[in-house]
Amino acid sequence: MELRQIEAFLAVAEELHFGRAAERLRMAQSPLSQTIKKLEKGLGAPLFERNTRSVTLTTAGHSLLPHARRILEEVDLARRAVNAGNGTVYGKLAIGFSGALNHTTLPPLTRALRQEYPQLDVTLHGGLLTQEALQQLGNGALDLAFIGLPVDAPSLATRRIATERLGATLPTDHPLAGRSSVDLLDLAGDPFITMPAAQGSTLREVTFAACAAVGFRPGISQEVADPYTALSLVASGVGISLMPESIEGIMPAGTVFLPLDGDDVLLFSGLAWNPGAVAPALRAALQVAEKVLPTPTT
């Protein structure tokens, strides 16, 4: 198996068209076809189903695809290592986050990473609630993730980066919208918009715990995975939602944020990573995060 064969396979697998793959590789289609045939012969299995109308991956092709991508990624890292100066941090870093809930914590980290380590290839994966992010850290799809705390994930490391009070987000025509604050019990009869239970949202868990503490279980009108979509539904009058105080600055028109009376309802958030897979890129990111996102003292 040669590197040029892997490159040819990956181009065809991603384009699913020999002509476009040949253009991408800047070669003629006939040599490309011969390269794929030699790879298939060497592996002892067909990688593509070909006919006059389409090209599709076989089972063997699907099996080879993730390995082919990793091979080329490792080759790219090797080239960077050879050309990098002493102390240069290079490589890939995949960061997971939920979306609107991280609008005050994600930007400082990514800006600092790009300023201090311009050679670092940072990719961001949004729309991930806590449990899904933890799963992707466990299987290696993510290197670092913004999550809600606490979590039951003994194989992963975590560090708290924020503590926020929750408040109620209401439509502006809600009977209580004119108040300066609201008692959570006064919202017992309202429909709630929450994150999906199946995706393991810490915000959802804190919401249910807070409602239970004052004596009611919230009725759910809709579940959505994206916090900003939840706010849009609040603006539409679909229901109300509990959100951290940092969300107040980006709320859509037609909504209002009210602090909760009584004891503070707190949401803890943090970073999580796999301590068994700390490559130089992740180590650099953790060091930067210590500076721009320090652990709160309270």
Side-chain angles (χ1 to χ4, degrees):
M1 190 183 303
E2 301 175 7
L3 182 59
R4 64 184 181 86
Q5 293 175 333
I6 295 297
E7 292 172 334
F9 164 75
L10 196 56
V12 177
E14 292 178 346
E15 299 291 344
L16 292 178
H17 189 282
F18 274 81
R20 289 195 298 269
E23 290 178 6
R24 171 172 152 182
L25 296 170
R26 299 180 180 178
M27 64 187 300
Q29 187 170 332
S30 179
L32 173 60
S33 297
Q34 291 301 315
T35 299
I36 295 297
K37 288 179 181 178
K38 288 180 181 178
L39 177 60
E40 290 175 322
K41 183 177 179 180
L43 293 173
L47 300 173
F48 298 99
E49 293 283 353
R50 311 163 175 83
N51 58 46
T52 56
R53 296 181 180 178
S54 65
V55 176
T56 58
L57 284 163
T58 63
T59 300
H62 279 292
S63 298
L64 178 60
L65 185 57
H67 300 286
R69 287 184 172 134
R70 281 197 292 270
I71 289 170
L72 293 187
E73 286 175 0
E74 287 298 321
V75 170
D76 179 58
L77 287 177
R79 286 172 177 156
R80 295 192 198 188
V82 170
N83 295 313
N86 291 335
T88 300
V89 176
Y90 58 89
K92 297 179 182 294
L93 184 74
I95 301 177
F97 66 104
S98 68
L101 296 181
N102 303 125
H103 80 280
T104 62
T105 50
L106 176 67
L109 178 60
T110 54
R111 281 199 303 267
L113 284 173
R114 289 191 170 96
Q115 289 170 359
E116 294 195 33
Y117 301 107
Q119 301 282 348
L120 195 58
D121 185 5
V122 178
T123 57
L124 303 176
H125 303 266
L128 300 177
L129 300 183
T130 295
Q131 288 305 315
E132 187 176 1
L134 295 177
Q135 291 171 2
Q136 293 198 25
L137 286 171
N139 64 28
L142 292 177
D143 300 301
L144 186 66
F146 288 82
I147 61 164
L149 295 174
V151 294
D152 182 16
S155 64
L156 300 177
T158 63
R159 181 175 68 81
R160 183 163 58 95
I161 59 171
T163 302
E164 295 187 78
R165 291 183 294 271
L166 292 193
T169 61
L170 313 177
T172 51
D173 60 356
H174 191 282
L176 304 180
R179 295 186 179 184
S180 59
S181 62
V182 66
D183 192 307
L184 183 55
L185 189 57
D186 289 341
L187 302 174
D190 283 88
F192 276 65
I193 300 165
T194 69
M195 308 298 110
Q199 291 179 262
S201 163
T202 303
L203 177 57
R204 177 192 170 99
E205 293 173 0
V206 172
T207 295
F208 271 75
C211 293
V214 297
F216 75 97
R217 179 178 177 82
I220 306 303
S221 62
Q222 195 156 342
E223 296 181 343
V224 291
D226 177 62
Y228 199 80
T229 300
L231 291 173
S232 297
L233 293 178
V234 171
S236 301
V238 175
I240 66 168
S241 186
L242 297 190
M243 289 284 175
E245 56 194 347
S246 63
I247 214 77
E248 186 175 9
I250 61 169
M251 288 175 61
T255 59
V256 61
F257 181 92
L258 298 182
L260 295 177
D261 294 330
D263 295 337
D264 287 341
V265 178
L266 300 177
L267 179 70
F268 302 100
S269 58
L271 293 171
W273 64 95
N274 185 346
V278 181
L282 176 56
R283 187 175 299 111
L286 292 173
Q287 291 171 351
V288 170
E290 288 276 1
K291 291 186 288 185
V292 299
L293 298 172
T295 301
T297 56
T298 57

